[in-house]
Amino acid sequence: MFLKTLKKKLVAWLGPWLAYWTINILGRTMQFEEINPEIPRRFWNKGIPAIGAFWHGRLLMMPIVYRGKDLSFLVSPHRDGQVVGKASDGSVSMPS
């Protein structure tokens, strides 16, 4: 029980920091291809709020793909979603 609690605390503490750096490093080494980019652009150009939807397997790189865009994402309350959510919204800080 103690180890499980410790593991959860470590993930909550270190996870966002590790995700932040992983996203940034991978983002510099990858090429992205937009398929049907005109669809989200229609919303952005008209100032219409939008919520992006995607599969969990795509979660990690969404902050890079949509950097600087006015787009909101609905993130799972599960630990995985919270880690990437904190890493991508700028609220991550260096663990001490």
Side-chain angles (χ1 to χ4, degrees), residues 53-83:
F54 50 90
W55 292 106
H56 281 268
R58 308 285 186 242
L59 177 68
L60 189 65
M61 299 317 293
M62 288 301 109
I64 297 293
V65 173
Y66 292 105
R67 180 180 288 154
K69 305 289 193 295
D70 189 16
L71 186 66
S72 299
F73 287 95
L74 183 62
V75 180
S76 166
H78 190 271
R79 273 192 322 270
D80 299 355
Q82 295 303 309
V83 166

Side-chain angles (χ1 to χ4, degrees), residues 2 5-7 11 15-16 26-27 32-33 43-44 48 52-53 55 63 65 68 71 73 75 80 87-88 90 92:
F2 172 75
T5 303
L6 180 62
K7 180 182 170 187
V11 168
L26 287 176
F32 297 95
E33 176 185 354
F43 290 96
W44 295 322
I48 299 171
W55 292 106
V65 173
L71 186 66
F73 287 95
V75 180
D80 299 355
S88 64
V92 74

Side-chain angles (χ1 to χ4, degrees), residues 23-43:
I23 290 167
N24 280 299
I25 290 168
L26 287 176
R28 294 170 196 262
T29 64
M30 299 174 78
Q31 289 184 346
F32 297 95
E33 176 185 354
E34 283 186 89
I35 299 172
N36 299 324
E38 67 280 355
I39 295 171
R41 269 194 213 115
R42 278 188 235 150
F43 290 96

